[in-house]
Amino acid sequence: MDLFEYQGKELFARAGIPVPAGRVARTPEQAVAAAAELAPGAAVVIKAQVATGGRGKAGGVKVVPAPAGADAVSNVAAEILALSIKGEPVGALLVEAAAGIEAEYYAAVTFDRRAGAALFLLSATGGMEVEEAPEGAMASVHVDPLLGLTAYQVRDLVFTAGLAAEARTDAFGLLPKLYRLFVDADASLVEINPLALTASGQQRALIALDAKVTVDDSALYRHPDIAAYHGTRRLAPQEELAAAAGLNFVKLDGDVGIIGNGAGLVMSTLDVVSQAGGAPANFLDVGGGAGADVLSSALEVVLAGQVRSVLVNIFGGITRGDAVAGGILEALGRTRVEVPIVVRLEGTNATEGRAMLAAAHHPNVRTAGGMMEAARMAVEAR
């Protein structure tokens, strides 16, 4: 589950990681009130709250210079609330007092599946251009899950990354807290970009100006406080349809819809479609014992997207081929279908299932004997 920035900052604050004071606003009027409370007469930053990256380049982060009057704040808030960033409409804003930034750094902890360990990243180059940082600018270290992030690893990260001397003391205290949050929240990613070195008079301090946190959905039962955030993100209509049906669905960028039973089979189907020259539009696993109702819902979900063909690849073990065919025919009876549907059935009652599909004589349904044949048919049928 991807958290909004303000939610991530709430977790940061509990972990002892410094964050700016902020207020969530859902209307221009609320933004004006928040600005007046946080920074009367000073500059404020207004940020779109969407669970995706690229907000700054999309116009979702704007500074209202001092004095941040009511009209200026209201106009900027209205502009950002009208945006849709990477397909996600902006439903909330985070209003904060502008910080005096001297340097922008980058810090993150993620999980390296190849190494089987957490990977800590730190760079003296942060902000919107972090992805364009020169090679070698990112210091990294794998963290042993038994030992945790050690003091010598923290020192190595700080000095290898090249953080300014004024930032080092704060960094020595902040980085272990970021790793501790990663572990305690069952996160797959905690990221601060930028981690800013700010100045207030003669004082210098590190503060998290942004927060990106992704929590493992399967661990939410251990974190009722984080689970309470669930549903705050606005899902795309197709994702909402899949969630309502309890389906394992991931939207991809292609135009060949995919339905299969079992994650391994679906992943293999994606590969075979790519090998046949196509581009999968989604990952959709109906599970090992899916019946007619589940198959019907799955087909409706896939057809709700921008697909030019659909490949249904089912190996019948617990799931019987005739039940699969019944689900497909049921979905065809209640959903308008204008794209070709290629069905590959193998296993229990597969012969009966193929016979049911053939007897229906639906103009858009075609059957295939093997995975590669089915993939080619789905790609060529577009």
Side-chain angles (χ1 to χ4, degrees), residues 4-96:
F4 291 130
E5 175 191 359
Y6 76 90
Q7 296 167 338
K9 283 182 173 175
E10 289 177 4
L11 297 185
F12 280 8
R14 291 181 217 163
I17 298 170
V19 297
R23 300 288 184 272
V24 177
R26 302 185 187 279
T27 66
E29 293 75 19
Q30 291 178 359
V32 170
E37 177 186 354
L38 293 167
V44 296
V45 183
I46 302 179
K47 298 189 273 187
Q49 296 302 283
V50 289
T52 185
R55 294 179 305 167
K57 293 182 179 179
V61 178
K62 292 187 177 181
V63 177
V64 183
D71 288 344
V73 172
S74 179
N75 290 338
V76 170
E79 289 176 9
I80 297 177
L81 284 169
L83 294 175
S84 178
I85 300 175
K86 294 185 178 178
E88 187 173 343
V90 178
L93 307 170
L94 179 60
V95 182
E96 296 176 338

Side-chain angles (χ1 to χ4, degrees), residues 137-153:
M138 191 77 69
S140 64
V141 63
H142 285 101
V143 183
D144 188 305
L146 297 179
L147 298 177
L149 185 67
T150 63
Y152 75 83
Q153 287 179 315

Side-chain angles (χ1 to χ4, degrees), residues 209-259:
L209 292 190
D210 195 6
K212 185 173 183 180
V213 179
T214 302
V215 179
D216 185 351
D217 288 359
S218 300
L220 286 175
Y221 71 94
R222 289 201 290 257
H223 307 283
D225 56 332
I226 300 176
Y229 292 144
H230 212 56
T232 53
R233 179 188 174 195
R234 293 185 180 182
L235 298 176
Q238 194 177 16
E239 293 176 320
E240 287 185 346
L241 190 61
L247 296 170
N248 296 314
F249 174 85
V250 179
K251 183 172 174 57
L252 302 174
D253 295 330
D255 56 11
V256 178
I258 306 293
I259 298 173

